[in-house]
């Protein structure tokens, strides 16, 4: 009996872990940590599926960038992207609804986030290629 | 002081002592499992994901006691998605939604316990993270405060300023005048990372006049009005 309930417990625990990871579902180990940061900080506006449709868009007059849109994302120069993340939308003449993240991320994490966005849209210029 | 007064004072001290001790013990025993009552030594992103409730180590510098006493007896949702919005979010069209029905209700306590717990919470002063007197009540322009909140500074992206109006990943602010002390509102708006290094409201780099007028606006917000 104890053994069965232990086994059931283990199955339930695995199910919970899967459910918690389903939304970001990042298979590339290189981007796992950054995907988690995206879930924590960016998905509230840019969406669980990175499509610009986060829960907060209900209150937004300017819609967040769709990070899964390859064509639109490919047209964003990498340094503009980095600046927008670090210093906010206003710093690149975009909407101030895109907040600055330098109080939360290190410069290295912001570069990794830019790499990750290139991975998400499958249009990326990595740091080395820029 | 007359002997009777001394006796009365001594008695009330004696009465306050055990009651206060009881409140602190209840807070630790009944609430400490979900709420940090001391400043976390080592905040991390992972801690935010495993937290069962918001931090209360600065509760005494944050809440109005009257609001606490009422809310602890009849809790209503403050964060539409619970302590971690992500845990209750679902992808969808035209946008992601929060499964608010899946957010567990907060435990309620009776009036006597609420008063005791509120006193114990008001004793948690938060290590000087809120500067008393930083908000200057005079002269702030509410219209400009609202404009900054709803348009220019984008607070409404994450906070509701009226029920059903505004973003959902941050605590409701439409009862900010009843729930929160203005000095706390100013301190948090100025530097959220001073309260939690990893919270998902970033420091927005606001000017002092912006901080004053936005705080005045939030302090004017009352639910049911």
């Amino acid at each position: 009996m104890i053994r069965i309930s232990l086994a059931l417990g283990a199955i339930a625990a695995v199910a919970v872990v899967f459910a918690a990871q389903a939304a970001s579902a990042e298979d590339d180990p290189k981007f796992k940590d950054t995907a988690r940061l995206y879930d924590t900080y960016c998905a509230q506006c840019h969406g669980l599926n990175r499509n610009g449709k986060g829960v907060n868009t209900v209150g937004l007059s300017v819609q967040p960038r769709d990070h899964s849109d390859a064509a639109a994302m490919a047209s964003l120069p990498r340094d503009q992207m980095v600046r927008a993340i670090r210093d906010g939308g206003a710093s690149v003449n975009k909407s101030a609804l895109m907040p600055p993240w330098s109080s939360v991320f290190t410069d290295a994490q912001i570069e990794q986030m830019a790499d990750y966005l290139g991975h998400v849209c499958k249009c990326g210029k990595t740091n080395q290629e820029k | 002081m007359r002997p009777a007064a001394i006796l009365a004072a001594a008695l009330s001290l004696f009465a306050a002592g055990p009651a206060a001790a009881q409140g602190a013990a209840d807070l630790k025993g009944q609430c400490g499992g979900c709420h940090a009552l001391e400043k976390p030594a080592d905040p991390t992103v992972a801690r935010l994901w495993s937290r069962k409730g918001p931090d209360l180590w600065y509760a005494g510098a944050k809440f109005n006691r009257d609001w606490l006493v009422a809310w602890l007896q009849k809790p209503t949702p403050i964060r539409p998605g619970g302590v971690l919005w992500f845990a209750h979010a679902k992808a969808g069209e035209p946008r992601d939604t929060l499964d608010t029905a899946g957010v567990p209700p907060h435990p309620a306590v009776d009036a006597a316990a609420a008063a005791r717990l509120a006193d114990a919470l008001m004793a948690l002063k938060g290590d000087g993270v809120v500067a008393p007197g930083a908000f200057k009540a005079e002269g702030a322009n509410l219209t400009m405060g609202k404009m900054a909140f709803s348009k220019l500074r984008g607070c409404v992206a994450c906070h509701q300023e009226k029920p059903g109006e505004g973003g959902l990943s941050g605590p409701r602010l439409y009862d900010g005048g009843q729930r929160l002390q203005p000095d706390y509102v100013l301190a948090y708006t100025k530097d959220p990372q001073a309260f939690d290094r990893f919270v998902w409201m970033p420091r927005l780099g606001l000017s002092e006049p912006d901080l004053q007028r936005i705080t005045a606006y939030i302090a004017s917000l009352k639910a049911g009005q």
Side-chain angles (χ1 to χ4, degrees), chain A residues 20 23 36-37 39-41 43-45 47-49 51 53-60 96-97 99-101 103-105, chain B residues 45 49 85-86 89-91 93-98 152 154 156-158 166-169 193 197-200 202-204:
Chain A
R36 182 69 147 190
L37 294 180
D39 285 342
T40 311
Y41 301 102
Q44 51 182 328
C45 292
L48 298 173
N49 291 333
N51 57 3
K53 298 183 175 175
V55 292
N56 282 342
T57 56
V58 66
L60 292 182
L97 290 171
W101 293 98
S103 63
V104 176
F105 294 156
Chain B
V45 177
W49 281 76
W85 65 274
F86 190 93
K90 285 199 294 234
E93 295 292 339
R95 66 175 58 88
D96 301 350
T97 50
L98 290 174
L152 305 176
V156 77
C158 304
L168 302 173
S169 63
Q193 273 65 54
R197 167 72 185 74
F198 294 105
V199 71
W200 52 97
R203 196 187 303 140
L204 295 166

